[in-house]
Amino acid sequence: MADDQGTAHGNDPRPGLFRVAPVAGETTSSLICRIASRYGMEAKVLRACWKWRNYPPGHEGGGARADAEVLLNAAGRQLLADMCGVEEDALARALPSWEEGDTKLRAEDGDPVGLWRICGAVAGPVAFGCRLCTALRTGTALRAVRYAPRWERACVRHGRWLLDADANQPLEHLDLRGLPEVVAAQRRWASVARRAVRAGAEPERVFALAQAVVARWWEQALQWERETIWPQRLHQVAGGDAGVDLERWRIVGRDAVVFPEVVAVADALLDPAMSELVWTDSGAGRPRALPAEGMFCRRLGERLGRGWLGPLAATDHGGPLIAWMGSVIRLRRGAGGPPGYDNDPWWLRQEHQAATMAGQLRVLGKEKKAPGSGTMWRAAVPAEQRRLITSAIDSAEEQLLQLRGVQTGPTAEVARRLLRGLGHSAGLIENAWKRTAVAAVNGGVPLEEVARWVDLPVEVLRRMLTADRQEDDR
């Protein structure tokens, strides 16, 4: 265990300093906060030792973001190394953002300078670290924030699911001690990732596709009377009963609850025997439409312990699983895909990506504040439409957060890339709200009420929906 007690050692190049060891994958901002705590001061007081080129990012409703990251110039990194009593080489190995300041603050010399960023725009998604593991590593059970892919969120040692740090919610982890299958799935993922590499696929892309498939089922599962496993797990991670705040717990607990199925689906999609079943279902050399009772989906349901799931999965047209099956079939036939599609089986369309916890919580918060929202909205709008608009808004807001994190005077290339992403997200949102408006009207919500939700005159909304319907009929 790292010496964090402030004693001086003969080999320590900085005797007399508290030694605060970094956690592997930790954000630089998190390390600064832990150093401040070790010195008995607030983080903002310690951060005053650097000159800052911008302000720390906050949540929309106020409050500091746990996924805020800092980039430091050479002098700033030297100062941090002095403060924590750890060599710069060791910090460079532990902190993924350590070298990022070289490109952003290269012109800064002399004074220690820092720049605020969002972690997702620096080195990927971040999660809260396990405090018990942090205590074993550093000697103090303080909060740490780490860059961690979404397939490494279960702490096997302590039975905890580590939550995303980019969401404005108070929990750092969920208790998995009553869900050994989730911990077992974490152990199993390592072998699935190795299988992906042997198959020439990137493990992160395989995981993303499997997560998208299962997250889509999760949205539909409220209507599945035969689904009993997920509700039991959800109540478990919610401390025994999620009913008091079910919508929120379905967002916060989703990734932990469905993780065993995500790993199982990833394993199934990598299995050549399963791909062969897809080929057989398609008619092989004599093409036909995929049947609702196809062998692939039936076998997939059995592997998930849900023999009844097959027909539901097979008829979920427009989802990521059917898209994967189509790619497998086209590759076997040597046929090109339709416009806008790719024959890479692991290519995941943006609208199929699983919405993040942060994005869903933002949408839920806005729904609760919006007039006319609530149970009527939930009852009238199908889960598929809610998922589509949530994903679109999530994508747009993430692009905006990245744009805000760009240093003043961004390069043309950065601006072009971000604006193209925003333009695509805007198109998805426009399509999503129109489809949702149609679903609400078809579900019996008065047109006047829908018009109030979308802040449009009734006649304008009527003309827009009529025009879209006529275009669809052509």
Side-chain angles (χ1 to χ4, degrees):
M1 184 175 69
D3 174 25
D4 197 49
Q5 308 307 313
T7 56
H9 294 273
N11 295 330
D12 191 339
R14 303 176 183 86
L17 291 177
F18 291 122
R19 187 174 189 276
V20 183
V23 175
E26 188 174 12
T27 69
T28 304
S29 176
S30 171
L31 178 59
I32 291 175
C33 290
R34 290 198 301 109
I35 294 172
S37 179
R38 190 68 183 90
Y39 279 87
M41 63 176 68
E42 293 185 13
K44 63 181 180 180
V45 176
L46 183 63
R47 290 196 296 260
C49 296
W50 287 269
K51 292 183 178 180
W52 297 95
R53 290 291 175 254
N54 57 355
Y55 294 102
H59 289 291
E60 186 176 318
R65 290 183 62 121
D67 66 330
E69 179 62 296
V70 298
L71 308 181
L72 304 175
N73 68 344
R77 294 196 298 273
Q78 180 62 58
L79 175 60
L80 181 59
D82 290 340
M83 287 180 172
C84 66
V86 177
E87 292 290 346
E88 286 197 53
D89 288 347
L91 292 176
R93 290 191 296 270
L95 309 180
S97 68
W98 186 254
E99 301 294 342
E100 293 294 324
D102 283 343
T103 57
K104 305 295 183 182
L105 298 167
R106 186 170 295 165
E108 305 284 356
D109 293 322
D111 293 330
V113 178
L115 191 68
W116 287 99
R117 287 287 183 267
I118 298 295
C119 288
V122 177
V126 287
F128 294 106
C130 173
R131 291 199 183 214
L132 298 179
C133 290
T134 301
L136 289 174
R137 172 76 179 96
T138 68
T140 53
L142 297 174
R143 188 182 85 172
V145 178
R146 301 176 55 247
Y147 290 96
R150 301 191 188 281
W151 56 84
E152 293 180 1
R153 295 298 175 83
C155 175
V156 174
R157 174 180 290 174
H158 299 112
R160 291 179 168 184
W161 183 268
L162 308 175
L163 292 168
D164 292 349
D166 61 346
N168 188 14
Q169 59 88 35
L171 298 177
E172 294 182 16
H173 71 271
L174 302 176
D175 191 345
L176 299 179
R177 285 175 295 179
L179 298 174
E181 66 270 31
V182 179
V183 176
Q186 182 68 83
R187 291 192 177 98
R188 184 185 176 193
W189 169 252
S191 63
V192 175
R194 288 193 295 270
R195 170 183 272 194
V197 172
R198 290 195 299 269
E202 299 175 22
E204 56 268 30
R205 298 182 68 205
V206 174
F207 181 87
L209 179 60
Q211 185 185 44
V213 170
V214 179
R216 188 176 175 93
W217 292 341
W218 175 257
E219 289 298 318
Q220 300 166 352
L222 284 175
Q223 285 76 47
W224 292 352
E225 295 182 0
R226 301 180 68 177
E227 177 55 56
T228 59
I229 299 173
W230 283 346
Q232 291 173 0
R233 288 185 196 155
L234 184 62
H235 290 307
Q236 181 74 30
V237 299
D241 184 10
V244 178
D245 197 3
L246 181 62
E247 284 185 294
R248 175 181 167 274
W249 276 113
R250 275 183 55 80
I251 294 171
V252 174
R254 182 198 68 183
D255 289 351
V257 169
V258 305
F259 188 65
E261 285 73 24
V262 171
V263 174
V265 168
D267 191 37
L269 299 184
L270 288 165
D271 188 345
M274 294 294 285
S275 296
E276 192 64 31
L277 291 180
V278 174
W279 178 240
T280 302
D281 287 341
S282 72
R286 303 179 66 181
R288 67 181 182 189
L290 291 171
E293 298 292 338
M295 291 187 293
F296 167 79
C297 287
R298 184 168 68 247
R299 178 60 183 137
L300 180 62
E302 292 170 354
R303 291 176 69 146
L304 296 173
R306 296 165 173 83
W308 48 266
L309 180 58
L312 295 175
T315 54
D316 183 22
H317 303 294
L321 182 62
I322 299 296
W324 177 85
M325 295 169 69
S327 296
V328 170
I329 295 167
R330 290 194 297 273
L331 283 173
R332 286 290 296 268
R333 290 179 180 159
Y341 287 76
D342 195 316
N343 275 351
D344 177 1
W346 311 113
W347 180 63
L348 184 62
R349 301 183 67 184
Q350 186 172 9
E351 58 266 34
H352 288 161
Q353 294 174 9
T356 65
M357 178 174 71
Q360 292 181 91
L361 288 176
R362 286 196 295 267
V363 172
L364 180 63
K366 291 175 182 177
E367 285 183 358
K368 288 184 175 180
K369 293 177 183 178
S373 62
T375 56
M376 191 174 188
W377 164 271
R378 292 276 160 182
V381 181
E384 165 61 16
Q385 306 303 331
R386 297 200 306 270
R387 185 202 64 78
L388 181 61
I389 199 167
T390 298
S391 177
I393 292 174
D394 187 26
S395 174
E397 293 199 352
E398 289 302 319
Q399 292 284 347
L400 283 171
L401 289 174
Q402 291 187 36
L403 188 58
R404 291 171 186 166
V406 175
Q407 193 172 3
T408 303
T411 65
E413 174 58 26
V414 171
R416 181 191 65 80
R417 176 169 56 82
L418 290 175
L419 289 173
R420 285 187 62 184
L422 284 170
H424 181 68
S425 296
L428 289 176
I429 291 173
E430 181 179 3
N431 182 50
W433 81 254
K434 286 183 180 179
R435 292 172 61 182
T436 304
V438 171
V441 172
N442 291 341
V445 180
L447 187 63
E448 294 76 11
E449 180 73 2
V450 177
R452 189 161 61 88
W453 290 351
V454 297
D455 195 24
L456 282 177
V458 175
E459 287 305 316
V460 172
L461 179 61
R462 180 181 286 112
R463 286 196 300 269
M464 292 178 66
L465 298 182
T466 302
D468 287 343
R469 189 178 302 116
Q470 291 174 347
E471 186 172 328
D472 290 341
D473 292 341
R474 292 176 186 173

